[in-house]
Amino acid sequence: MTQGGKKKKRTVNRSIMLAKKIIIKDGGTPQGIGSPSVYHAVIVIFLEFFAWGLLTAPTLVVLHETFPKHTFLMNGLIQGVKGLLSFLSAPLIGALSDVWGRKSFLLLTVFFTCAPIPLMKISPWWYFAVISVSGVFAVTFSVVFAYVADITQEHERSMAYGLVSATFAASLVTSPAIGAYLGRVYGDSLVVVLATAIALLDICFILVAVPESLPEKMRPASWGAPISWEQADPFASLKKVGQDSIVLLICITVFLSYLPEAGQYSSFFLYLRQIMGFSSESVAAFIAVLGILSIIAQTIVLSLLMRSIGNKNTILLGLGFQILQLAWYGFGSEPWMMWAAGAVAAMSSITFPAVSALVSRTADADQQGVVQGMITGIRGLCNGLGPALYGFIFYIFHVELNELPMPESPSGGSTVTQYQLQQNSIIPGPPFLFGACSVLLALLVALFIPEHTNLNLRSSNWKKHCGSHGHPHSLQAPGEAKEPLLQDTNV
């Protein structure tokens, strides 16, 4: 395509975005309170994950009571199935939301993501079964980011996505501690009822207050373009990985570094509770401290590092912190070691934002969506493979408990738990040590990524549906940078 053709296409797409904004301002959005705004999306995200955050401590207890012999293996399988189903369904749901509107799919994803909550006290087996199957619709972030893209311009989008991501982190700073306190004082049944009530409030908020961001007048244009398998194919973004050597290096780095991170998120709080002897309150405090430090690291610290040492060196530094963190988790046998490693973990959270920034700066304007879509697809795949891999490694190294941890010793850990841990395994956390080795390989691969280069993908016809993989918003201009999608996950 000639340079003039590219400019003409970008002009047309900007005109479409401008027309959508005019329609929205003219009252073309039926139902809801006010005009569509980022704040509607923020409230939806906050309520959903606040409800799940309340269940952090009760879920860990119910998981061990339901699967006392193979707790970590079953946890890995449950979260792994959910992650894989989310990876497979996200592109299809995104493409359908381009046709039928965002509001209906916000309602659908929030309802099915929160559907398992009341089952915790009714039937634990059904609770975990529904959690696994709910992965088909557990893609609220994808629809929320599409909602935000509908109502923001390019220069506003990064800040808007940052607000949504910060809201997600903020919802998990306080809710686990609140859930643990209420469970200790009033019992877990009250926590489940409260979480269910908040989930219902979220659903009612979407029904009553959230206006449709994709106006009715804009939808007939979408009906004229039928949904193809290319748009719904979750592996479409991965098929282009080998077409450019730089893209291949970046994608291998993301895969090797995010695979252990996804597995860690699925099992680490259970590991603290069952193996390290943390109380429910200690786990909640750990989540809060880690969340606050991660927000600081991804805003202030990341900005300073990007200006002072450059993009590539920031990625390498983040990978170095991740190796140290995972090795510390793997060999740590005392509670204070977990707290110290958690502080390092907050610093390691700068890696993926730095990778996304590197892609955004080095890729051609009309390739942003393609490359960001690849990275998003790989992260989605890791969300399915990582938890299953960690659960399997825990299982083969016989890292399990036969009983819940005893009351805490003065040092903050259970002496019985630590004794059993020393008897069962020389390495307290084998999966974390495996993760450290994986990230070390990612670091070696990242050394070969040039600081400044142009990413050129050979296939030009892939651009026509790249928007459905960067985030599900097919009307976005090719030159707009796609933000990486956060993956929905239970605490």
Side-chain angles (χ1 to χ4, degrees):
M1 184 182 292
T2 63
Q3 188 68 25
K6 292 180 181 178
K7 290 182 179 178
K8 184 176 180 181
K9 190 173 182 180
R10 283 197 287 271
T11 302
V12 172
N13 279 277
R14 289 194 188 100
S15 299
I16 293 174
M17 295 297 294
L18 181 60
K20 291 170 67 176
K21 283 186 168 292
I22 292 173
I23 291 171
I24 290 173
K25 290 179 180 178
D26 288 344
T29 53
Q31 303 176 347
I33 298 176
S35 300
S37 68
V38 177
Y39 300 107
H40 288 100
V42 162
I43 294 173
V44 170
I45 287 294
F46 181 85
L47 291 176
E48 177 181 331
F49 288 96
F50 190 89
W52 274 110
L54 290 173
L55 297 178
T56 302
T59 297
L60 300 182
V61 175
V62 172
L63 183 66
H64 180 76
E65 291 177 347
T66 308
F67 309 107
K69 293 185 178 179
H70 305 299
T71 309
F72 288 99
L73 177 63
M74 293 307 300
N75 177 68
L77 292 177
I78 291 166
Q79 297 299 329
V81 170
K82 180 182 178 182
L84 284 174
L85 289 177
S86 298
F87 166 71
L88 294 173
S89 65
L92 177 60
I93 291 179
L96 290 174
S97 74
D98 287 333
V99 175
W100 295 339
R102 315 299 184 196
K103 179 171 180 173
S104 57
F105 281 91
L106 275 178
L107 184 64
L108 190 70
T109 56
V110 170
F111 175 81
F112 281 98
T113 302
C114 297
I117 292 178
L119 295 175
M120 175 180 285
K121 286 300 179 181
I122 299 173
S123 172
W125 282 92
W126 277 106
Y127 171 70
F128 291 114
V130 174
I131 283 180
S132 300
V133 178
S134 70
V136 175
F137 297 100
V139 288
T140 307
F141 265 109
S142 299
V143 184
V144 163
F145 280 169
Y147 188 97
V148 171
D150 290 338
I151 58 178
T152 56
Q153 296 179 350
E154 180 182 350
H155 67 277
E156 303 170 330
R157 198 156 295 150
S158 294
M159 183 177 295
Y161 286 167
L163 181 60
V164 173
S165 301
T167 301
F168 163 74
S171 69
L172 299 180
V173 168
T174 57
S175 56
I178 294 173
Y181 171 77
L182 293 176
R184 179 168 54 85
V185 177
Y186 301 104
D188 289 344
S189 296
L190 176 66
V191 180
V192 174
V193 170
L194 179 60
T196 303
I198 293 175
L200 290 174
L201 176 63
D202 198 11
I203 293 171
C204 293
F205 177 79
I206 297 172
L207 282 171
V208 176
V210 175
E212 175 58 61
S213 64
L214 198 63
E216 190 71 35
K217 296 179 182 179
M218 291 300 299
R219 288 182 228 170
S222 299
W223 284 105
I227 298 173
S228 65
W229 171 244
E230 275 187 319
Q231 290 175 294
D233 180 9
F235 297 97
S237 60
L238 306 181
K239 294 175 183 176
K240 301 295 177 182
V241 169
Q243 293 195 359
D244 186 281
S245 59
I246 308 302
V247 173
L248 182 62
L249 289 174
I250 292 175
C251 289
I252 291 175
T253 300
V254 171
F255 180 81
L256 291 176
S257 61
Y258 193 72
L259 183 68
E261 185 175 337
Q264 172 189 325
Y265 286 157
S266 70
S267 62
F268 186 64
F269 301 133
L270 177 65
Y271 179 78
L272 291 179
R273 181 81 174 93
Q274 305 295 342
I275 301 300
M276 299 308 302
F278 274 47
S279 66
S280 299
E281 292 78 8
S282 298
V283 172
F286 188 94
I287 296 173
V289 171
L290 190 60
I292 294 171
L293 292 178
S294 295
I295 292 173
I296 296 172
Q298 293 183 56
T299 53
I300 301 173
V301 177
L302 178 63
S303 177
L304 292 174
L305 289 175
M306 294 282 279
R307 288 199 299 265
S308 58
I309 65 176
N311 204 320
K312 178 183 174 180
N313 289 331
T314 302
I315 295 173
L316 297 177
L317 183 64
L319 292 174
F321 277 117
Q322 190 177 359
I323 293 171
L324 177 60
Q325 161 222 335
L326 288 168
W328 211 337
Y329 282 157
F331 287 110
S333 58
E334 297 288 340
W336 70 265
M337 296 180 180
M338 300 296 104
W339 284 97
V344 178
M347 281 301 300
S348 71
S349 67
I350 65 175
T351 302
F352 189 76
V355 169
S356 181
L358 176 66
V359 170
S360 180
R361 291 180 180 181
T362 58
D364 291 339
D366 59 352
Q367 297 289 303
Q368 293 281 345
V370 179
V371 184
Q372 294 281 13
M374 292 178 187
I375 296 175
T376 299
I378 288 175
R379 279 170 61 93
L381 191 61
C382 290
N383 272 305
L385 298 177
L389 180 63
Y390 264 50
F392 180 71
I393 295 175
F394 273 124
Y395 174 72
I396 62 176
F397 277 88
H398 306 291
V399 181
E400 297 289 351
L401 285 180
N402 294 323
E403 297 179 359
L404 287 171
M406 298 294 289
E408 288 187 354
S409 65
S411 63
S414 167
T415 54
V416 174
T417 298
Q418 293 169 6
Y419 173 77
Q420 291 178 347
L421 181 60
Q422 294 167 359
Q423 294 294 316
N424 291 337
S425 177
I426 298 175
I427 303 173
F432 304 113
L433 195 59
F434 166 82
C437 296
S438 177
V439 179
L440 178 60
L441 293 177
L443 179 64
L444 296 177
V445 173
L447 289 172
F448 294 95
I449 300 174
E451 179 76 37
H452 301 288
T453 187
N454 286 325
L455 306 179
N456 297 306
L457 299 179
R458 292 193 262 281
S459 176
S460 61
N461 62 4
W462 203 72
K463 300 172 191 176
K464 64 184 179 183
H465 65 281
C466 66
S468 65
H469 298 286
H471 64 71
H473 182 65
S474 60
L475 295 177
Q476 189 173 1
E480 294 176 1
K482 300 288 196 305
E483 294 293 331
L485 302 186
L486 291 173
Q487 298 295 331
D488 291 7
T489 180
N490 293 342
V491 180

